[in-house]
Amino acid sequence: MKLSRPVSWFLLAFGVWSWVIWITFVKNLVKDSSGLAFEDGHPTAYFFVHLTLAVVSFVLGTVIGGIGLRGLRALSRTSRTS
């Protein structure tokens, strides 16, 4: 399957955006002082659920961004050979 240049850039941007957003979220989750993420210094179910969401989002962002990067590289190779 061939991806267009705009679609490839969108997928790459989505992957980068996903990493930026979820890294910020995890930093805030670890520093949480509201009592949701930690209770008496121990992680709560809220913490583990949201950490799992972040890890899944990191994986999906990496895969989707990688697809976009591969699409851009393939387009660059075809434009050099033409």
Side-chain angles (χ1 to χ4, degrees):
M1 169 174 43
K2 263 184 135 177
L3 297 175
S4 68
R5 190 170 309 278
V7 169
S8 296
W9 275 110
F10 175 79
L11 294 175
L12 181 59
F14 177 86
V16 171
W17 177 256
S18 179
W19 270 84
V20 169
I21 291 301
W22 285 99
I23 284 174
T24 303
F25 181 82
V26 168
K27 285 180 181 178
N28 291 335
L29 182 65
V30 169
K31 291 189 273 183
D32 179 59
S33 61
S34 71
L36 287 173
F38 296 96
E39 190 174 288
D40 299 326
H42 300 291
T44 62
Y46 175 91
F47 175 83
F48 288 114
V49 166
H50 287 83
L51 185 62
T52 302
L53 287 172
V55 169
V56 169
S57 294
F58 287 142
V59 171
L60 291 175
T62 302
V63 170
I64 291 170
I67 292 169
L69 185 61
R70 287 181 68 183
L72 288 172
R73 286 183 177 168
L75 286 169
S76 131
R77 279 192 300 268
T78 57
S79 67
R80 279 190 263 148
T81 59
S82 298

